[in-house]
Each structure stands twice: as structure tokens, then as C-alpha cells.
Amino acid sequence: MKVLSLFDGMSCCRIALDRVGVTVDSYYASEIKKSAIKVTKHNYPDTIHIGDVTKVSFKDGILYTENCNYEVGHIDLLAGGSPCQDLSSMNRKQVGLSGEKSTLFWEYARILKEVNPTYFLLENVGSMPYSDAMEITKEMGVDGIRINSSLVSAQLRDRIYWTNIPGTGIDIFGNNYIEQPIDKKIKLKDILE
């Protein structure tokens, strides 16, 4: 599988793909945080770092970056979690998609159109204003799926996922959806050593 991960962080997408047994043939990562890149290079030395998302484009199977171009052909999965600081309810101003950091969502939307991957996955904070969630939903062309990681981990992390990856069920309207994970009831005390 050829993967293009935007806002890659420490390659959590790659970690997830490993855990579900997906073989990654090529992994292109757009990330600018040096500490995150260092962690990725340590864990996945074959990752191809492509730099700043605002300087990435794709046309006719070629991934254009600030410093180098890559003939990649078709991308199977475009993944990313654009910055949430301006969307999060933890930010008193909560300026939404027009904020300095959260406006980077539009880079994901642009690259999604350019790449036209087989699959896409976008993640962002669940506490965003409803109007912003609806704007992202309109842009992605699929409904967001709300999942709180507290179901499978010892942290409260409410998120919305937009994806065209086939789900495991059909709702009453005939739409594909992904079932919520089973609550493993993991508490912080369960993971502390």
C-alpha cells in the first residue's frame, strides 16, 4: 500500500496500519515538527519525509515537494489529522476553520482532490463547532464518525473521523458506517506501572 500522511506527527497512521496487519510499501510523510520526525525516523527509517504540507502538490502520479519530486503513481491511502487548536473547545477563542492553524484543513482538502486516492481518512477534535464539522463533512463528501478513544484506551479523546474506508454495517438509510469499538473499560490505574 502506498500511503501519503499529512500532519504525520510521529506516524501514528503507520503504527495503526502495522497493528491491523496492512503492509506498507511506501510511506510519504508531511510533517515539520523536528521531534516528531526524529521519532518516526527511529521507528520507521524507510519513511520518506516530504516537508511542509503547504509546499506539497500532486499531479499525474508525481508528488511535488519543496526539495524533491517523487514518481509515486497512485496513492492508496491519504491520511491526516489537521491541526485542531482553533477548533477545540479547550481554546477560549475557538475561531474554527478560519484560525491560523486549523485553516490547514484546506491543504488536506486540496491534496485529497489532487491525489484522488483509493481511500482517505481525516481525523479532528470532536469538540469543534457544529458549523465547522458540517463544513468539513460537506468538503469530504461523507459523514463524520464520532469515536472517543476512552473506549479502547486510558484517555478521554473525543474525535471525529471522515473516511471512505468501507465500514462494518449499514444504517437505516443505507449508508455505510463503522461500528463503535467495544468499551474495554480501561482506566488510568490499569496502565500505570
Side-chain angles (χ1 to χ4, degrees), residues 30-184:
S30 175
E31 179 56 58
I32 59 171
K33 217 176 210 180
K34 290 180 177 156
S35 57
I37 293 168
K38 186 176 179 180
V39 170
T40 295
K41 284 183 177 184
H42 175 77
N43 292 319
Y44 299 104
D46 62 336
T47 297
I48 302 160
H49 291 278
I50 60 173
D52 185 342
V53 70
T54 65
K55 296 174 174 64
V56 171
S57 62
F58 185 89
K59 185 174 181 185
D60 299 327
I62 300 174
L63 186 59
Y64 297 92
T65 72
E66 185 175 24
N67 298 317
C68 191
N69 300 330
Y70 302 91
E71 279 193 51
V72 298
H74 180 73
I75 297 288
D76 300 301
L77 173 64
L78 175 68
S82 56
C84 68
Q85 290 93 327
D86 301 313
L87 293 165
S88 174
S89 62
M90 299 304 284
N91 182 340
R92 280 186 247 150
K93 293 181 183 177
Q94 201 176 24
V95 294
L97 288 173
S98 62
E100 181 183 341
K101 293 185 179 189
S102 292
T103 194
L104 287 170
F105 157 74
W106 297 107
E107 295 297 328
Y108 181 98
R110 172 185 62 81
I111 292 171
L112 174 62
K113 288 175 183 157
E114 292 174 2
V115 170
N116 191 26
T118 306
Y119 302 110
F120 67 84
L121 175 65
L122 173 71
E123 169 271 336
N124 215 303
V125 65
S127 66
M128 73 176 63
Y130 179 79
S131 59
D132 288 319
M134 289 300 97
E135 193 166 351
I136 293 172
T137 294
K138 181 179 175 187
E139 190 66 28
M140 293 295 96
V142 296
D143 289 331
I145 301 160
R146 176 176 246 118
I147 300 175
N148 195 322
S149 66
S150 66
L151 296 172
V152 294
S153 72
Q155 65 175 330
L156 183 63
R157 200 165 168 84
D158 185 28
R159 292 292 183 262
I160 303 174
Y161 298 87
W162 291 266
T163 186
N164 68 340
I165 297 171
T168 58
I170 304 291
D171 68 15
I172 60 171
F173 304 107
N175 299 313
N176 202 353
Y177 72 95
I178 295 175
E179 292 180 15
Q180 292 288 313
I182 295 170
D183 189 350
K184 294 185 177 187

